[in-house]
Structure formats: structure tokens, C-alpha cells
Amino acid sequence: MAESTTVSNTENLMKYMKLDQRGAVLAEYIWIDGTNGVRTKTKTLSKPVKSYKELPEWNFDGSSTGQAPGDNSDVYIRPVAIFPDPFRGGDNILVMTETWDPDGTPNKFNYRHECVRLMDANAKQEPWFGLEQEYTILGPDGWPYGWPKGGYPAPQGPYYCGVGTGKVFCRDIVEAHYKACLFAGIKISGINAEVMPSQWEFQVGPCEGIELGDHLWVARYLLYRVAEEFGAKITIEPKPMKGNWNGTGLHTNVSTAAMRRDGGMKAIEDACKKLGERHEEHILVYGEGNAERMTGEHETASIDKFSYAVADRGASIRIPRQCAAEGKGYLEDRRPASNADPYRITGIIMETIFGGMEGLDLSKAEKYSRIHN
């Protein structure tokens, strides 16, 4: 396993983790920064809480996270969901937050706020989402685990859902993350080794509405945090290794009440047609570097063309064969890259299928960029 790069070690740490907190509760506030990354800071609470509504707003230096200029750097974080903390245990919690500017408007990287509006406006559609988060585990040197230093392993084939030494790598990180998610109440529905060695996937969902984005972002935080303890790095770049290797995606499964009813195939096909009409707009918010992944090879469609088909993993949208046979179910949008924001994905899908809202167009939201002081 990975050689730890941390100063401390688990045996020493546990002596302190067992100490009595004397009634205090630690709340780990989580937010998304200006580069689509995760940031956190810890607040001490005087007592346990049952709802995020009991928690105070907080703030941070946005000039250090790419979210504000240096001469007006305060950014506020407002709690929106809480989860049990699998690292500290007890009454300690993880707190998902939204970022807001001092003038009371959402920070320009706060895509959750826009997504909530769309979900609330279309709540009667009962949208369910399930996202498949692929990622790659790297060593401290940035090279995938299990790969020869400076070299390459045997070609793809034996690694997908593989079992055994030489076929899978870092299963201990994957299992630790799985258990941490379950403890935290994340709706994680499964894991599997992926096509490229040291590439894995976990699935979150089905979740209704905004819950999917909250759960996936906290699951990402947990993955990065678990990897810290093993001295490993996690990358969600869509094409971490160039050449004849699969990229990493965030396949998005979508189902509405109309799709799940008898005869729902018509609603599925109607949605596919609408998604095709806004293909370019979706690609704009489906992740950075996605053109390197969506080449038409390695189980992807071409980024320049839209298609949908039954059971075709080379299509933009795949309709599972079982759904086609039953005449109802869901669709799988295979275009999102692994580093895409789930709030942006699910939000624009709702916007495209059910119509937008006045003053809101998710395809025109500012792309990820760092604000320089």
C-alpha cells in the first residue's frame, strides 16, 4: 500500500481521538472552491444539533480559494445539509454548505443555488438521479498505483471488476471509503474496479432532486480524506493517462415519474431528443478536459456528435436494454466528465427537459476559473 506522507500515524492519533470532548461538537464545514475543488474548516459547537438549520453561517478568505478578490475577500458559507462524521465519530458532523457573497447574492461558483431553484420548480416531476463517479488512485509521485514506475502495465482487459493481485490496486482505500460513506448516510449504491488499472468507480443514488448533488460532493470529500490516510492522491481528471486507456466519466442516470410509468419509453425518447437539441450547451458544463475523453473510442461518443440508442455505450445517451424491454425506466447520459459538478449536470438536465426559468440559463454560467488577486 501507499507509503504515508503524513506527519502523524494512526496509532498516535487514536490516543487523542478517544479523548472526551466535554460536550462540545466538531462541525466540519465543506464547500466547493473556485477551481471545482473541496475545501473545509472546523467549527466547535456547544451542543449536538439535529438539523442544518440550527447551524450558524460562517465565512472564509475567498481570495485564497479563487472565489473573491483580495480587496473584498470575505465569502460566507451557509449550511444546507449535515451528515455524521465517520472520522471523528460521536455527535460530530460534516456540514455541506453553499457559498454567498457579502451583498447577499450567491457566489458565482455557487451552482447549487441555481440547481435548487430548478429542482423546486419541477418537484412534481419527481426526478431521480444516480451518478457513477469514476476516479483514479495515484501515488505521491502522481503515477497510478500498480503501474511500473515510468512504464505501463499490460493492456486493458483483466482489470474491470477484477479480483486478485495484479488485476486490482488499492482496494483498501476503496473499501474504507465505502464504509465511511455508509456511516455518513451517503446514498452510495455500489463500487467496482474500472477498465484502466487503478481506476475505480462508486455510484451514488437514486436520490431525488438536490439531494444527489449534496451526497456526491460529500462522497468526494470523504474519498479525498480517506486517501490522505493512505498517502495516496485521487484524481478525477477525465483523461489522466494519455494513449490507449479509458478515461473517467460521471455517467448520469435520470428518471422522472413519467419515465417510470407504463409507457414511459415515450417520455424517455422525448427527453433524449430535447437533450440532443442542446448538446453543445450541455458539453459546456459537463466538465473540463472532456474532449480528451470523448473521442468516440474507449466506450465514449464523439464530443461533436449527439446520439442515443439502446444498450450502446458508444452513444451519448444509453437507454438500458431492460428499460427498452419493459417500456419504461430511465436513461443514462454518458457525456459528463468525472470532474463535472453534479449540481450543474442535474440542473441543466432539468432545464433542458422541462424548460428554464426566467433569468436563469445554466449553459451560460461562468466556467471554472481562478480569480487572481
Side-chain angles (χ1 to χ4, degrees), residues 31 39 41 59-70 72-75 373:
W31 73 94
R39 306 280 181 135
K41 58 190 295 189
N59 63 77
F60 64 90
D61 170 18
S63 69
S64 296
T65 64
Q67 291 168 280
N72 188 21
S73 62
D74 286 355
V75 177
N373 293 338

Side-chain angles (χ1 to χ4, degrees), residues 204-249:
V204 172
C207 297
E208 186 165 349
I210 197 64
E211 183 182 53
L212 186 284
D214 293 343
H215 281 235
L216 187 68
W217 270 113
V218 175
R220 282 179 175 176
Y221 159 74
L222 293 173
L223 180 60
Y224 298 138
R225 181 68 175 74
V226 166
E228 276 184 33
E229 300 190 9
F230 289 85
K233 295 180 180 179
I234 301 296
T235 179
I236 54 173
E237 290 183 24
K239 187 69 174 179
M241 301 304 294
K242 313 308 179 189
N244 194 27
W245 304 100
N246 272 37
T248 54

Side-chain angles (χ1 to χ4, degrees), residues 133-358:
Q133 177 69 70
E134 295 179 338
Y135 61 95
T136 307
I137 304 175
L138 310 176
D141 60 356
W143 201 245
Y145 266 111
W147 290 44
K149 295 299 180 185
Y152 298 89
Q156 295 180 157
Y159 311 112
Y160 173 69
C161 295
V163 178
T165 301
K167 295 182 180 179
V168 294
F169 306 94
C170 301
R171 192 185 292 274
D172 44 4
I173 291 177
V174 177
E175 292 288 341
H177 172 248
Y178 201 169
K179 293 296 288 288
C181 284
L182 291 171
F183 181 92
I186 300 298
K187 291 186 176 179
I188 185 170
S189 49
I191 59 172
N192 61 268
E194 268 300 334
V195 177
M196 187 180 80
S198 207
Q199 182 187 61
W200 289 82
E201 173 185 297
F202 66 88
Q203 303 93 34
V204 172
C207 297
E208 186 165 349
I210 197 64
E211 183 182 53
L212 186 284
D214 293 343
H215 281 235
L216 187 68
W217 270 113
V218 175
R220 282 179 175 176
Y221 159 74
L222 293 173
L223 180 60
Y224 298 138
R225 181 68 175 74
V226 166
E228 276 184 33
E229 300 190 9
F230 289 85
K233 295 180 180 179
I234 301 296
T235 179
I236 54 173
E237 290 183 24
K239 187 69 174 179
M241 301 304 294
K242 313 308 179 189
N244 194 27
W245 304 100
N246 272 37
T248 54
L250 188 57
H251 299 155
T252 300
N253 301 285
V254 184
S255 180
T256 65
M259 295 178 187
R260 295 188 292 272
R261 287 195 289 266
D262 289 344
M265 184 56 65
K266 182 179 186 304
I268 292 173
E269 291 178 343
D270 287 346
C272 289
K273 293 173 184 176
K274 290 179 180 179
L275 290 167
E277 291 170 358
R278 297 189 76 204
H279 176 65
E280 293 182 1
E281 290 92 332
H282 279 250
I283 291 299
L284 285 176
V285 299
Y286 273 7
E288 295 295 299
N290 207 11
E292 293 187 56
R293 166 182 163 264
M294 291 190 65
T295 61
E297 299 180 347
H298 302 110
E299 300 179 276
T300 69
S302 169
I303 197 168
D304 298 318
K305 298 178 182 178
F306 178 84
S307 61
Y308 70 93
V310 173
D312 185 357
R313 283 177 163 77
S316 308
I317 306 287
R318 180 180 71 93
I319 300 171
R321 188 171 300 282
Q322 181 180 355
C323 295
E326 295 179 354
K328 59 183 178 181
Y330 66 96
L331 63 86
E332 178 193 44
D333 190 340
R334 298 179 59 81
R335 296 172 294 173
S338 49
N339 60 2
D341 185 328
Y343 296 133
R344 302 186 83 180
I345 296 172
T346 57
I348 198 170
I349 287 174
M350 294 299 290
E351 183 180 75
T352 296
I353 295 177
F354 298 112
M357 299 177 64
E358 184 176 355

